[in-house]
Structure formats: C-alpha cells, structure tokens
Amino acid sequence: MNEPGVQEFRRGLRAWLDDNDLSPGPDHSLDGQVAQLARVRRALYDAGWMRYGWPKEVAGLGGPAVLRAVLGEEVATRGLAEPGIYSMVEVLVPTMISYAPPELAAEMVPLLLGGREQWCQGFSEPGSGSDLASLTTRAVPRDGGWVVTGQKVWTSLAQYSQRCVLLTRTAPGHGGITAFFVDMDSPGITVRPLRTMHGVDEFAEVFFDEVAVPGDRMLGRPGDGWRLAMDLLPYERSTCFWHRIAHLYTRLDRLVAETEDPDDAALGEAYLGLHTARCRSHLTQRRLGEGGRLGPETSVDKVLLATAEQRLFDTARDLLPGVIELAESPWRAEFLYSRAATIYGGTAEIQRNIIARRLLDLGRD
Ligand SMILES: Cc1cc2nc3c(=O)[nH]c(=O)nc-3n(C[C@H](O)[C@H](O)[C@H](O)COP(=O)(O)OP(=O)(O)OC[C@H]3O[C@@H](n4cnc5c(N)ncnc54)[C@H](O)[C@@H]3O)c2cc1C
C-alpha cells in the first residue's frame, strides 16, 4: 500500500486484524499487559501498519498522522492492548523526531514502534510535578559527556524500559533545563516500582547516582528542555486521547450490556460526556492534519476527557451495585484508575488555570 487514505487504511487494517488474531491471553497482570503490547506492536510493525503516519527518516511509511489515530482506535476497540501504555509512542516518538540528532532518532524509533523496546518519560520529581520548572535533577559536563544525579518519581513503566527521555537541570531557570535520552541500564540508575491504588506497579521512583550520559544523547541543545516539555504535552492530549476515548466507548457499551436496571438519564449523561470529548478530539485531529501547532487549547481536551472518564466510571459504580466496592473486578481497577485522570499529564486545577489565563485572558487571579 502506498500512502493510503483514511478509509482505505481502515478497511485494509480491519481485514488484516480479522485474519491475524492478536487478542490478549488470560494474563491481565502488568507484566502480561506489557508483553502483550510488545507482541501487538511487533506484529503491527512487521506488517507495516505501525509505520504509517510516521516519516521515512525514522523508517516510517509516511501518510497523514491521522492514520495513527485510526490504528490506535482499532487496537483499543478490539481490546488488543491497554490504551494508556499503547499510546506512549505518541508522546515519545514526536519528541525524538523533533529533538534527537537525526541518526539517533533513525536508530532508536524503530525499536520502540516495533515492540523491541519500551521507553519512559522522566519529568516529575518529588518536589516538582505541576511546578515542573523547579526540577533539580542535575546534569554537569564531564569528559565530553554529562553526569546526572537526582531523583524522578511517577515514571510510568520505568522498570520495563530500556531508555528514558529525561529532563535535567544544567543552569538556573526555565532556560536551564536540558533533556537527554538515557539508557536505563547505565551504571548508577536504580528503579523502585511504586504501587498505585488500583494495585498495579505502573510507575516507579528512579534514582540517578552519577550516571554518565554521552554528549550525543542530548535532545536539542543545552537549555531546550523546557521547550521540549511544552511541545510534548499537547501530544499527550491529541492522538493519545483519540485512542483513550475509543477505549472508553467499549466500557460504555459493556456497562449498557451489564446493567440490569438501566437508568437512561445516567447512561445518557455518560454518553454525552464521551461524545463531547470525542468531538473536541476530532477537532484537534483536524487541526493536526492541517499542520496546526497544538498549544494551551489542548487543556480543554484534557478537562473534557478527564471529566468524561470519571463520570463514566461513577455511572458504573451507581448502576452496578457492589461491583466496585465489594469485588476485585476489572470495573473496580478501572474505576480506581480513572481517579488519576485528573492528575497525570497535568492536573485538572492546572488545566483550568491555563484555560483561564491563556485562553480566556482572565488574569492571574
Ligand atoms: C498514573 C500516573 C502516571 C504518571 N506518569 C508519569 C510519567 O510517566 N512521567 C512523569 O514524569 N510523571 C508522571 N506522572 C506524574 C504527573 O505528571 C504528576 O502527578 C502531575 O504533574 C502532578 O504533579 P504532583 O503529583 O507533583 O502534584 P502537585 O503538583 O504537588 O499538586 C498537588 C495538588 O495541588 C494542586 N496544585 C498545584 N499547583 C497548583 C496551582 N498553581 N494552582 C492550583 N492548584 C495547584 C494540583 O492540582 C494537585 O491537586 C504520572 C502521574 C500519574 C497519576
């Protein structure tokens, strides 16, 4: 297939997925999910599907970025991979394409897209989450390279990752943040998984003790780290969201099927929340497709999606009595995880501040 259009891509993909069963096995643990993700990525990459929508410089097959939204939607709708971890490529690959030396991006990106590696994002620190610019993990120049010392926290999938996109401090202020692409098996790195309230070691503390990083692993130039972080955030809120919304629709369908005493008003509200988030995300996809640069307006997408996700699982709690409070069910795990939707990728309060100040021009107070 040569740079297919959306309809042609979707038709071909669906036929291929019908013929190639990538359904997950019975192991729903995080180990199982990560292994399944690698299996799905590998199969989709080897068959070419995972390469569409990415540029040829990183072994992509070209075509519009929306093809990646279509692929993720099919993966989510068929329940082939957990959408959160599947979508991490949507954040990490554009960052590599924009900031890594071209030969590094060309070497590394196919490993991630092809399911040969997992990567993580080392931004947050114990004292620096919303106020990311206060981060203190420092990198100092030594022998033509850099030496990194400090601590990250909430680093998703760090214990499975071969590489990390890491923010460090090389000088004071926003202009003193520098990003590196670090091998996770470098001497001096210790990973300690942390358990979430839904009972999974999804993220970790990562300690850096005098970790040597070669000079050619810098992403961008010294001081580009803040710009990289700001460029990356909108990616967390575009194609990733399209995938997540597709996943949430499968949960709404399941809820309708499992509810013995349907409350049409509550289900209608849950549907409306999802539909609104999807319309907004559709607009964002259109803007991306037209070459638009995404910025603070994606905070609206974040608020709408987090609200819709929590409303959906609140509705499940109300309509499936006891299934969340009293049973170790998949509903319970997803209900608990949905509470994090207003935290990860920028908290709900911070998004509302951005909307008020930068979109509505309401001033600092
Ligand atoms: C499931 C999950 C996965 C994650 N994965 C990663 C990852 O892979 N890599 C990574 O780097 N990070 C990751 N994070 C961390 C995430 O980015 C941070 O949790 C988030 O940025 C918030 O930072 P914090 O936890 O330090 O909270 P804080 O910034 O300490 O905020 C605490 C509370 O104060 C509020 N608050 C803070 N400042 C203001 C303000 N100015 N105005 C109003 N309210 C304010 C916040 O809204 C929040 O309610 C993950 C988090 C979760 C939950």
Side-chain angles (χ1 to χ4, degrees):
M1 218 190 304
N2 208 0
E3 295 212 0
V6 171
Q7 299 309 330
E8 186 190 1
F9 180 83
R10 193 190 289 276
R11 253 196 321 275
L13 172 64
R14 283 183 172 165
W16 188 88
L17 287 170
D18 289 343
D19 289 345
N20 293 271
D21 186 11
L22 292 175
S23 306
D27 181 0
H28 298 299
S29 68
L30 188 61
D31 286 352
Q33 285 182 4
V34 172
Q36 167 68 5
L37 174 65
R39 171 178 169 243
V40 168
R41 274 195 192 142
R42 190 180 286 247
L44 291 172
Y45 187 88
D46 291 348
W49 303 109
M50 196 79 194
R51 296 168 62 194
Y52 283 104
W54 297 112
K56 299 190 169 52
E57 292 72 26
V58 292
L61 295 174
V66 71
L67 300 182
R68 299 175 349 227
V70 172
L71 176 59
E73 184 179 353
E74 289 298 322
V75 167
T77 303
R78 291 170 188 245
L80 303 181
E82 200 285 322
I85 61 177
Y86 171 86
S87 295
M88 284 174 83
V89 295
E90 289 298 332
V91 177
L92 296 166
V93 174
T95 301
M96 288 297 279
I97 291 171
S98 300
Y99 287 92
E103 52 291 356
L104 184 65
E107 179 192 351
M108 294 293 169
V109 166
L111 299 175
L112 181 67
L113 290 180
R116 272 75 180 172
E117 290 196 353
Q118 180 64 52
W119 301 352
C120 61
Q121 182 183 327
F123 285 19
S124 305
E125 298 184 0
S128 307
S130 303
D131 184 14
L132 186 60
S134 68
L135 64 88
T136 59
T137 294
R138 68 175 192 281
V140 291
R142 191 186 295 168
D143 301 334
W146 296 79
V147 175
V148 175
T149 302
Q151 185 198 338
K152 297 291 169 178
V153 71
W154 318 127
T155 315
S156 294
L157 302 190
Q159 69 273 41
Y160 297 99
S161 295
Q162 284 77 25
R163 329 267 174 191
C164 179
V165 173
L166 182 73
L167 291 187
T168 67
R169 176 153 305 289
T170 48
H174 287 68
I177 296 174
T178 301
F180 292 94
F181 187 63
V182 177
D183 293 342
M184 290 295 283
D185 62 359
S186 306
I189 296 183
T190 306
V191 177
R192 276 201 218 137
L194 292 168
R195 183 144 296 187
T196 63
M197 71 175 170
H198 71 299
V200 174
D201 296 346
E202 179 189 303
F203 39 39
E205 295 176 295
V206 186
F207 299 86
F208 296 82
D209 183 9
E210 301 262 311
V211 176
V213 180
D216 60 4
R217 288 303 192 83
M218 187 180 288
L219 299 177
R221 296 156 51 85
D224 275 352
W226 185 252
R227 192 160 60 86
L228 177 150
M230 293 304 104
D231 283 354
L232 175 149
L233 282 175
Y235 284 113
E236 286 193 342
R237 303 181 191 147
S238 47
T239 306
C240 293
F241 278 11
W242 189 260
H243 300 164
R244 181 140 210 99
I245 292 164
H247 166 74
L248 293 175
Y249 269 103
T250 69
R251 295 307 184 254
L252 180 64
D253 288 344
R254 186 181 288 179
L255 176 59
V256 171
E258 290 184 18
T259 307
E260 283 172 8
D261 184 17
D263 173 341
D264 290 344
L267 287 170
E269 255 192 60
Y271 170 77
L272 200 58
L274 278 185
H275 187 66
T276 307
R278 192 167 195 270
C279 290
R280 175 72 191 184
S281 191
H282 191 261
L283 192 69
T284 300
Q285 282 296 326
R286 274 239 309 268
R287 289 186 39 240
L288 261 184
E290 288 160 1
R293 203 176 156 77
L294 302 183
E297 71 291 338
T298 57
S299 290
V300 174
D301 303 48
K302 177 78 170 69
V303 169
L304 289 175
L305 177 54
T307 307
E309 177 156 357
Q310 294 187 348
R311 178 172 299 139
L312 171 65
F313 289 103
D314 287 349
T315 309
R317 178 199 56 206
D318 296 344
L319 298 187
L320 303 172
V323 89
I324 283 162
E325 294 90 339
L326 302 176
E328 284 300 334
S329 64
W331 280 113
R332 178 184 168 85
E334 289 211 72
F335 174 87
L336 291 175
Y337 193 68
S338 72
R339 304 303 105 174
T342 42
I343 303 174
Y344 56 68
T347 70
E349 292 78 14
I350 296 297
Q351 302 316 309
R352 289 190 166 89
N353 281 348
I354 292 170
I355 291 167
R357 290 174 189 158
R358 298 184 59 188
L359 302 181
L360 302 176
D361 205 15
L362 294 180
R364 289 196 68 78
D365 301 324

